[in-house]
Amino acid sequence: MGSRHQLFVIARVFGGFRTLAAVHHQSLYSERALQRCLRVINVLQATSNRIPILEELRAARMKKGDFWATSREFQPFPFIATCLTVGCSFDPSEGYQDRVHPLVYNITLDRLDINDGITVIDITDPASPSYCFSFLPGGLRPLDARTYLWRYMRESHDAYVSAEDSDDTWIEQTAAVLHGEDEEVKRQAEKDRIASSERIHEQISQNPLVQGLQAYRLIDDPQMLRSWSQQLPADDPPQAENADGAKALSLRDQAMDQLISNMLKDPDYDPHAAAQAQHFSDFIPRYRSKLLSLAEKAELPQSPSLFSCIKLAFSGETVIDLGAFSDVPAAQLLSEADLDSILGSEPQLKTLYLMEMPQISVQYVARVWAQSGSGITDIYHTELLRRPFLMKSRYSDLMGTVKSPLLADRKNPIKYILWARVLVGEHYGHKIRKLDGVKVDWQRLKPATSVVDQEPTMRSAIYPVNDLLLTPTKLVSALVNYFTLVENDKRGYCTSGGLAATGFALAKSLAMASSHLPADATRIEPLPECMFKASSVSVKVCSLHWPLDFPQLKEGEGAVVIINEHDEIGRMENENQEKSRLAVVFPEPANGSGAYKVESMGSFLERTAATKSAWAETEEMAPLLEYWRQRTGFVESAGEEEVHELLAAMERTMKENRQNLSWPTIRRAWS
């Protein structure tokens, strides 16, 4: 069912075009396909995503032929897969969040369920991506946005004309034939069709999505598409000639380059000259450029002290990318001790890229992150990016992963998002609540046990964020993404589409959260593993069951509570009638079991800044607080009494849900 569509990100590697990531979309066509394609291109082309994409392209070019022919369950290029998964299904400003299914990277077209075409995006040059659409079985003929959209508008036009030709029009034409005027009628009908077709072409030309995609190159070679789909070799592109020739170097630059070459061969070479050269502002950039160039050519000097060269090359930098040193001889591989030496001398470091470096463990990443005084806001590690896509075949194994995250951020005090949604207004004859501020009777509500509920129900879920390297700015940015989506979602699907829909929405909100203000709407980070996997499990039981238990928060561990009131009648009329409330809670064991300190997000941020929490020691909280208030003015603060009643009801309903939906049923659904 649905207008099934697949999207692919490809690149020229290993003598041909290969798929780096692919997803299945159950319903994507017409203008929506153009919108998603443009969004993915913007994400892949964003400068904030450039380094990890280039690192994965470099890794792809090093893979051999058997790698591309062998099926694997994991995503070998997880950052590109995350860009595609989030980019084609999530945009808070446009108010949509779609559920998509990541596919095995080397899947062939004959194994796909396609009935509404495919989208192909080529990122051989990430700074200048190209795209095309195509239909199957259409011989993989590449289509631009204008031609692709014409098919749907033409079909809609033809159906409209056929409907108009019935009834009164048919009677008039029959009368004209009887009076000998049929030829004139035919000529006029043809003129009308031509005029209508011209109007459609004009509408397509003025379509902002078509105009947006015109800024990008079209994959216009059918042979290239066929070679990609069959994994055949492709001709190498012509190499551009350098008409200007090599730039002549001054005697000073020649001397510096020679000194750098000698220093890279022998780190102890002429310490006095090296110390003097470092006073020049361009020495470190030139040294780093030369070192990276040697790494790219696999010509690094056979020195056991490579890390000392790296340490000098990146001294004083706020961004360190070590991916270029992932493919070196075993004796030269950077160890965690080497990294400690490098990072210990870089207090100004903000972003660290550890792509394709399996010798650096995730546990080490968590330790670096949790260190007091660390100003690092972002760490990109291939394993963290890949794990959300590793769906275990056995349900028990999957639950072990979901409940015991590999990465537990001790620095982040917010461990969960506790979410509840209730229908309001008149619902199957039950007056639950209208959007007038009247209190919800949470104790009266029961857990949902079917897709269509015949009585007042609540749906609730626990979304973990304790497996993320989460800063205050990222948390606020993610929540702003979520509430912006809720506000702009005219279908109300984000909250009414079940527990999985909200889980995916929150997971993608976190993956697209910004670590700095102003927020970047195209920046990608890892998907939260537990939340993403639990949402995938929930889909198997119609999003009615949530696989995680109600959490027992320890002292010092907090949660964000989100309440969404949804007007079902408003949704039926395509009007978003959504009311959102939020609170931050921390347990208070001294006041008894089930007692919580309840505060607003603004109060929580102010208290975090005042107490000089290690979580926020490098953050500027005043601008962050102002950003929160500006972007979420429509979100109310939940009261203390309501939050206590809600949390008690959530714990009760989740236990009842476990009884209503037996584990054998869930296991069968998963398998």
Side-chain angles (χ1 to χ4, degrees), residues 41-52:
I41 289 177
N42 289 336
V43 169
L44 291 169
Q45 194 183 31
T47 55
S48 55
N49 300 324
R50 185 64 48 81
I51 290 178

Side-chain angles (χ1 to χ4, degrees), residues 151-429:
R151 164 179 168 166
Y152 290 96
M153 297 190 73
R154 182 194 63 196
E155 289 179 348
S156 300
H157 164 70
D158 292 345
Y160 173 77
V161 171
S162 298
E164 289 293 310
D165 284 347
S166 60
D167 302 332
D168 294 342
T169 304
W170 179 83
I171 295 173
E172 292 175 2
Q173 291 181 352
T174 302
V177 171
L178 294 175
H179 289 86
E181 301 174 2
D182 55 325
E183 291 300 324
E184 180 63 27
V185 170
K186 291 179 181 179
R187 283 194 294 271
Q188 185 59 44
E190 184 62 23
K191 289 180 180 179
D192 292 343
R193 287 181 181 273
I194 293 174
S196 178
S197 178
E198 291 175 348
R199 286 195 299 271
I200 292 176
H201 277 292
E202 181 65 22
Q203 292 174 9
I204 292 176
S205 298
Q206 297 178 358
N207 188 296
L209 295 171
V210 173
Q211 293 175 348
L213 285 169
Q214 284 176 346
Y216 299 97
R217 293 181 298 111
L218 175 70
I219 301 174
D220 56 2
D221 183 1
Q223 180 60 35
M224 173 267 194
L225 277 186
R226 284 193 291 272
S227 68
W228 158 69
S229 65
Q230 301 172 24
Q231 295 194 5
L232 299 175
D235 296 332
D236 291 330
Q239 298 295 323
E241 297 182 1
N242 185 358
D244 298 331
K247 181 180 178 181
L249 296 177
S250 66
L251 291 177
R252 177 258 193 192
D253 290 343
Q254 292 180 37
M256 183 176 289
D257 281 357
Q258 185 60 50
L259 174 62
I260 289 173
S261 296
N262 292 334
M263 289 176 63
L264 289 173
K265 293 177 182 177
D266 179 8
D268 297 325
Y269 174 82
D270 197 347
H272 177 72
Q276 291 295 320
Q278 292 180 43
H279 290 294
F280 293 101
S281 60
D282 61 338
F283 173 78
I284 293 298
R286 293 172 75 106
Y287 184 91
R288 181 169 58 251
S289 177
K290 180 66 173 178
L291 182 64
L292 293 174
S293 176
L294 293 175
E296 188 70 25
K297 299 174 184 177
E299 297 176 358
L300 285 170
Q302 298 296 316
S303 168
S305 57
L306 174 62
F307 84 92
S308 62
C309 299
I310 297 173
K311 185 176 181 178
L312 176 59
F314 290 99
S315 60
E317 291 296 300
T318 59
V319 177
I320 294 182
D321 172 21
L322 299 176
F325 309 102
S326 60
D327 186 43
V328 297
Q332 292 183 291
L333 282 175
L334 287 174
S335 67
E336 294 177 357
D338 294 336
L339 270 182
D340 282 335
S341 177
I342 294 172
L343 301 181
S345 60
E346 304 298 333
Q348 73 290 331
L349 180 63
K350 298 295 183 183
T351 306
L352 178 63
Y353 293 93
L354 300 173
M355 304 294 290
E356 302 295 331
M357 300 183 74
Q359 77 274 18
I360 307 300
S361 67
V362 174
Q363 289 81 1
Y364 174 82
V365 171
R367 178 168 64 82
V368 168
W369 179 265
Q371 287 177 351
S372 177
S374 172
I376 299 176
T377 58
D378 300 292
I379 301 179
Y380 289 82
H381 188 282
T382 300
E383 182 68 11
L384 292 180
L385 289 157
R386 180 179 292 139
R387 291 190 66 83
F389 299 104
L390 292 174
M391 300 304 293
K392 302 292 183 68
S393 58
R394 292 193 305 170
Y395 186 84
S396 58
D397 293 341
L398 179 65
M399 285 301 92
T401 302
V402 170
K403 294 180 179 181
S404 302
L406 179 64
L407 178 67
D409 181 7
R410 294 166 292 176
K411 193 175 181 179
N412 169 27
I414 301 298
K415 303 300 183 183
Y416 299 93
I417 295 176
L418 310 180
W419 176 85
R421 169 269 207 169
V422 61
L423 294 176
V424 299
E426 191 83 19
H427 180 57
Y428 294 108

Side-chain angles (χ1 to χ4, degrees), residues 463-498:
Y463 301 112
V465 294
N466 61 340
D467 56 354
L468 289 175
L469 305 179
L470 198 63
T471 65
T473 301
K474 288 181 187 178
L475 173 64
V476 169
S477 176
L479 292 173
V480 167
N481 285 341
Y482 172 77
F483 286 118
T484 301
L485 174 67
V486 172
E487 184 74 2
N488 294 329
D489 180 15
K490 301 305 179 184
R491 302 172 300 168
Y493 176 73
C494 174
T495 58
S496 67

